[in-house]
Amino acid sequence: MSIDSSGPTATPGFTRREALRMAVAGGIGLGAAKVLPASAASAPLKGNLKHSVARWTFPKLSVAELCRTVKGIGFAAIDLVGPEDWATLKAHGVDSSMCNGAELGLTKGFAGREFHDQLVERYTRHIDLVADAGYRNLICFSGNRNGMDPQQGLANAEAGLKRILGRAEKRGVVLVMELLNSRVDHPDYLCDHSAWGVELCQRLGSNNFGLLYDIYHMQIMEGDIIATIGRHHACFKHYHTAGVPGRHEIGDQQELHYPAICRAIRDTGFDGYLAQEFIPTAPDPVGSLREAIRLCDV
């Protein structure tokens, strides 16, 4: 993920909100999207991985239209949907695979002690909303360094998250911190390497906290994707995709080979969601999504 879903960020990098503006104003083909009826679904998916798509990547479709589209392709989950849209998802039998809405943004996260009181209040309330809705995953962020030593950031994030982790454990909600790149899209973001996030997981020592391993972001920061998944998959509760470079379709015009990556994820026994989060550039963005699901259906 790369958008501040609660408002504009101060980060000058390429955010989801900027992508939405580009999609709407720049004409990257989302206007050509067509809602696919269930009858248009091709061969059933293999079921070895659970698939999802980030809601923000299809801004021209309403939530209801996107629900019908994913069901037509053959899966039933949408990422990064807040409480205001959960009723629509439920009406269509679609899961909210990663909930949002508690965060203060990408730049103001748990590494900043000055944000802890606000975050604890917001996340305590949101954990209950997620649990009451029957969902599981709730996204969170480290925030920016702001000159902070990474070890101090770890200590701060540990302290802040411990204030809400008991509630998450009691309600069966998993707090999932996203790994983002600080080189291209999110300058100064602290949780920008898997090692930092893994250490935070180890410090917290709870099955109700983990990482969102964004393959696009981590290819930019450190590469070694398949080996990292093999070493640290116990910490990875969720995955995001996109092509490198450019954050567009995940086909053969970019440097990551997603079928092999998805086989590596599958072989760890992963039972969470793999969510498509690329920005479509093709005239038929729904076709791009269909093709991405096909590539990842291993």
Side-chain angles (χ1 to χ4, degrees):
M1 172 184 180
S2 311
I3 192 168
D4 173 358
S5 59
S6 60
T9 72
T11 304
F14 187 69
T15 66
R16 286 191 178 89
R17 191 172 298 280
E18 290 161 350
L20 291 178
R21 288 200 297 267
M22 185 178 76
V24 174
I28 63 172
L30 288 173
K34 295 180 175 63
V35 178
L36 299 181
S39 60
S42 55
L45 298 177
K46 296 175 182 176
N48 296 320
L49 290 175
K50 295 193 293 186
H51 300 280
S52 180
V53 62
R55 191 275 171 276
W56 71 272
T57 59
F58 283 83
K60 287 286 190 177
L61 298 182
S62 69
V63 173
E65 289 170 334
L66 187 56
C67 285
R68 291 193 289 271
T69 295
V70 302
K71 293 291 286 288
I73 293 173
F75 65 101
I78 299 176
D79 244 38
L80 306 173
V81 179
E84 66 278 6
D85 291 313
W86 291 347
T88 302
L89 266 62
K90 287 179 180 295
H92 288 85
V94 172
D95 191 17
S96 178
S97 48
M98 180 61 66
C99 300
N100 66 356
E103 64 275 12
L104 291 171
L106 302 183
T107 64
K108 300 176 180 180
F110 282 95
R113 285 185 178 270
E114 67 271 28
F115 306 123
H116 282 184
D117 287 346
Q118 280 182 279
L119 288 168
V120 168
E121 180 181 356
R122 291 169 67 95
Y123 273 87
T124 299
R125 180 172 62 249
H126 226 78
I127 286 167
D128 286 342
L129 289 174
V130 170
D132 289 345
Y135 298 135
R136 180 171 174 80
N137 294 327
L138 176 59
I139 201 164
C140 65
F141 301 97
S142 67
N144 282 8
R145 289 177 175 81
N146 295 319
M148 186 188 317
D149 178 83
Q151 289 299 310
Q152 184 60 56
L154 271 172
N156 291 351
E158 178 186 3
L161 287 161
K162 280 182 174 176
R163 292 174 60 182
I164 58 172
L165 193 52
R167 183 104 180 175
E169 291 170 340
K170 181 178 180 180
R171 297 305 313 270
V173 171
V174 180
L175 304 169
V176 187
M177 182 173 286
E178 186 163 14
L179 291 152
L180 301 173
N181 85 75
S182 61
R183 186 171 293 156
V184 176
D185 300 304
H186 304 290
D188 205 45
Y189 187 75
L190 180 54
C191 186
D192 65 348
H193 281 81
S194 56
W196 192 94
V198 168
E199 184 171 346
L200 181 58
C201 287
Q202 292 169 344
R203 288 184 179 210
L204 292 170
S206 172
N207 288 329
N208 291 78
F209 177 82
L211 302 175
L212 194 170
Y213 187 78
D214 190 303
I215 297 163
Y216 159 80
H217 288 296
M218 289 302 96
Q219 173 69 359
I220 290 172
M221 293 305 299
E222 60 191 28
D224 207 23
I225 299 296
I226 289 176
T228 300
I229 290 168
R231 284 193 302 269
H232 300 305
H233 62 86
C235 292
F236 300 157
K237 305 292 188 180
H238 200 79
Y239 291 89
H240 277 172
T241 77
V244 179
R247 198 175 187 155
H248 300 305
E249 279 87 347
I250 66 170
D252 61 6
Q253 300 303 307
Q254 49 89 47
E255 65 194 44
L256 291 162
H257 184 56
Y258 271 97
I261 293 169
C262 291
R263 285 192 292 270
I265 294 170
R266 177 200 66 192
D267 291 348
T268 67
F270 180 66
D271 63 357
Y273 280 98
L274 173 80
Q276 303 295 331
E277 204 192 22
F278 63 89
I279 301 166
T281 60
D284 177 11
V286 170
S288 291
L289 178 58
R290 180 186 290 276
E291 176 64 12
I293 296 298
R294 188 193 67 79
L295 285 172
C296 294
D297 185 37
V298 296

